[in-house]
């Protein structure tokens, strides 16, 4: 198969993290825009991107891009695309989502309806039929309009890639798996360093960190829409990608990853989720208040998602909560802290201005990723492998 363009949407503000992930997989970047990265690949790339990428929301197979300022133009240019190269005669196809920003065409429902009619017209002409059963594989289409430029992709993932399959039960206000992975990647943490989440909730930060440490691909235990696209992707390519992921898992590692929460029922959920992810042996979960945040070792990391106070009754407790968090952090000599929160007074009550902060949209909620990096460990601190080699 010739190279095609693939589109990987992601959280706004975290495009650079996803770009690096795609390059690490060995693919060439075609472009980076707000909330998405486009890259070149083939059928194998569809499988590997879905299985290996930790920070992408889904993988779209780009069908085309053009400028349209009227609905007639949208119809004709959508009809001109070679839909028969993607969708077989029995394929089920629809425009699953349309989004428009700063464009003359802005009604999602009208965009969806007109594009579907254009696709039907094109396929009727190619397959010489007036009616499609649509009882075969699914080919959901997603379209994005930005300043009148229409970009169309066919969704290879189906359910969003943040659904790893391990989090059947969540605590309140959970952070998504893709966002948690992205934020961990923004820090210098690696599996040789301690990681503690004192507000672990359903365990997403510790679980994602443990999966990274053990090199467990995030998508290896779930299914994808494009698995049924046998006209485009041979089944063997999916098997090969899963086998590659299995071969890369590291069962021999030792890590210090901990998750605390004041609510014991939430801690039980976190343990259950870790077991589903296959990393329960790598994480120590415990019921513990943030005021009891202590650790005897140096150079550890706190990466956490403290309460935002979205409910009024919670908001009254936030000043004391963040104050206690800040006081506990100050007892941890040489540690680094990273927290994502929408609470505007976080720095004030934490008792320290962040060295850096980064605006990130968690869904529609504007949040900030506050970064309080500690000192780098001396070279003698070494890695686990280096220490073993020197014994």
């Amino acid at each position: 198969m010739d190279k095609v363009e693939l589109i990987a949407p992601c959280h706004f503000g975290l495009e650079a993290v996803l770009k690096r992930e795609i390059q690490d997989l060995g693919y060439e970047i075609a472009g980076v825009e707000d909330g998405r990265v486009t890259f070149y690949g083939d059928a194998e790339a569809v499988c590997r991107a879905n299985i290996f990428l930790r920070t992408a929301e889904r993988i779209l197979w780009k069908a085309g891009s053009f400028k349209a300022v009227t609905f007639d133009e949208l119809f004709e240019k959508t009809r001109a695309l070679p839909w028969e190269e993607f969708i077989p005669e029995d394929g089920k196809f629809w425009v699953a989502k349309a989004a428009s920003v700063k464009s003359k065409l802005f009604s999602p429902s009208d965009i969806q309806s007109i594009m579907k009619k254009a696709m039907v017209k094109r396929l009727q002409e190619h397959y010489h039929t007036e009616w499609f059963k649509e009882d075969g594989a699914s080919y959901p289409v997603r379209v994005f309009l930005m300043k009148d430029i229409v970009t169309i992709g066919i969704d290879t993932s189906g359910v969003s890639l943040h659904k790893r399959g391990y989090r059947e039960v969540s605590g309140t206000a959970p952070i998504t798996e893709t966002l948690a992975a992205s934020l961990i990647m923004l820090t210098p943490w690696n599996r040789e360093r301690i990681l503690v989440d004192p507000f672990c909730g359903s365990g997403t930060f510790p679980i994602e960190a443990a999966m990274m440490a053990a090199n467990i691909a995030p998508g290896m235990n779930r299914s994808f829409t494009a698995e049924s696209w046998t006209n485009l992707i041979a089944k063997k390519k999916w098997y090969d990608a899963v086998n590659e992921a299995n071969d890369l898992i590291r069962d021999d590692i030792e890590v210090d990853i901990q998750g605390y929460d004041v609510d014991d029922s939430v801690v039980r959920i976190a343990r259950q989720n870790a077991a589903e992810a296959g990393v329960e042996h790598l994480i120590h979960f415990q019921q513990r208040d943030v005021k009891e945040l202590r650790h005897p070792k140096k150079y550890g990391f706190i990466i956490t998602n403290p309460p935002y106070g979205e409910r009024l009754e919670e908001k009254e407790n936030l000043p004391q909560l963040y104050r206690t968090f800040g006081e506990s952090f100050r007892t941890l000599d040489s540690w680094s802290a990273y927290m994502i929160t929408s609470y505007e007074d976080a720095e004030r009550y934490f008792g320290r201005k962040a060295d850096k902060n980064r605006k990130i949209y968690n869904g529609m909620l504007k949040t900030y990723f506050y970064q309080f990096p500690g000192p780098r460990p001396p070279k003698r601190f070494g890695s686990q492998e280096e220490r073993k080699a020197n014994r």
Side-chain angles (χ1 to χ4, degrees), residues 346-365:
E347 288 173 299
R348 174 187 170 191
Y349 291 109
F350 190 72
R352 176 177 162 184
K353 186 171 176 58
D355 294 52
K356 294 180 182 177
N357 76 58
R358 193 180 189 117
K359 183 165 66 175
I360 295 167
Y361 280 89
N362 185 4
M364 297 303 292
L365 185 66

Side-chain angles (χ1 to χ4, degrees), residues 79-98:
R79 179 184 175 184
L81 294 176
W83 292 106
E84 65 279 2
E85 294 180 7
F86 305 106
I87 304 170
E89 188 171 355
D90 66 345
K92 180 181 179 182
F93 59 97
W94 71 103
V95 183
K97 186 172 182 180

